[in-house]
Amino acid sequence: MLILCLGIAGWVLRGGPTSLEDLVLVLALTVGGTLLVTAALVGRARAAEARRSAQLSVLQHAAHRMTASLAREDLGRAVVEETRRVIDYHNARVYLHEPPDALVPVAFEGRVGAYRTVDLSILRTTVGTGFTGWVARHRTAIRVDDA
């Protein structure tokens, strides 16, 4: 749109339209460009709304599943399974903090190779140890592309 406006400004500075056809052409291009930009903005807004709707749906399903059972393992399974609906992950883990510094895995889901089945006891860790321990200590999510 900016380029179209600059083009029109330059065209006007060079003498403006010399005929009615030139004026109609510029107006048609301006209207067409405006429609394209508006359509693109509306499309982006709709896509963002669809993502938010999907995320809220996941939260609703997870909350429903979590209230159906109070078992730690059921809560953890609900988190990994419902999160999968909006985030494509290779593996996900849910830990509970047991004071003073133990992090106990209650759910795991893996999709790739050796991650398909994992003994939860080997995933135990402590606050400050490894990626999981760092997240627990700093209470901040991290994304590790190639761990």
Side-chain angles (χ1 to χ4, degrees):
M1 189 68 172
L2 176 63
I3 293 172
L4 181 60
C5 290
L6 289 173
I8 292 170
W11 182 53
V12 168
L13 291 174
R14 293 190 62 193
T18 58
S19 67
L20 183 59
E21 289 82 18
D22 287 348
L23 184 60
V24 169
L25 176 63
V26 169
L27 290 174
L29 289 173
T30 302
V31 169
T34 302
L35 289 174
L36 287 174
V37 169
T38 302
L41 292 173
V42 168
R44 286 176 59 186
R46 285 184 179 157
E49 182 60 31
R51 279 191 307 276
R52 280 191 296 276
S53 179
Q55 291 167 344
L56 288 174
S57 176
V58 167
L59 289 175
Q60 182 182 21
H61 286 265
H64 179 337
R65 287 183 62 187
M66 287 178 188
T67 58
S69 173
L70 295 179
R72 299 174 355 160
E73 293 76 14
D74 292 342
L75 295 173
R77 291 289 332 142
V79 170
V80 296
E81 290 170 4
E82 296 301 329
T83 300
R84 179 77 174 169
R85 293 177 53 196
V86 287
I87 300 173
D88 185 29
Y89 57 75
H90 288 165
N91 72 74
R93 305 170 188 181
V94 176
Y95 287 85
L96 290 179
H97 177 239
E98 291 183 354
D101 66 348
L103 297 173
V104 180
V106 293
F108 174 86
E109 183 165 312
R111 300 285 183 185
V112 178
Y115 287 121
R116 292 180 194 262
T117 56
V118 172
D119 179 10
L120 289 180
S121 66
I122 67 170
L123 297 177
R124 288 183 71 100
T125 189
T126 58
V127 174
T129 302
F131 295 133
T132 302
W134 188 93
V135 168
R137 172 166 285 149
H138 298 280
R139 298 176 184 232
T140 300
I142 59 173
R143 177 180 171 169
V144 181
D145 291 324
D146 188 5

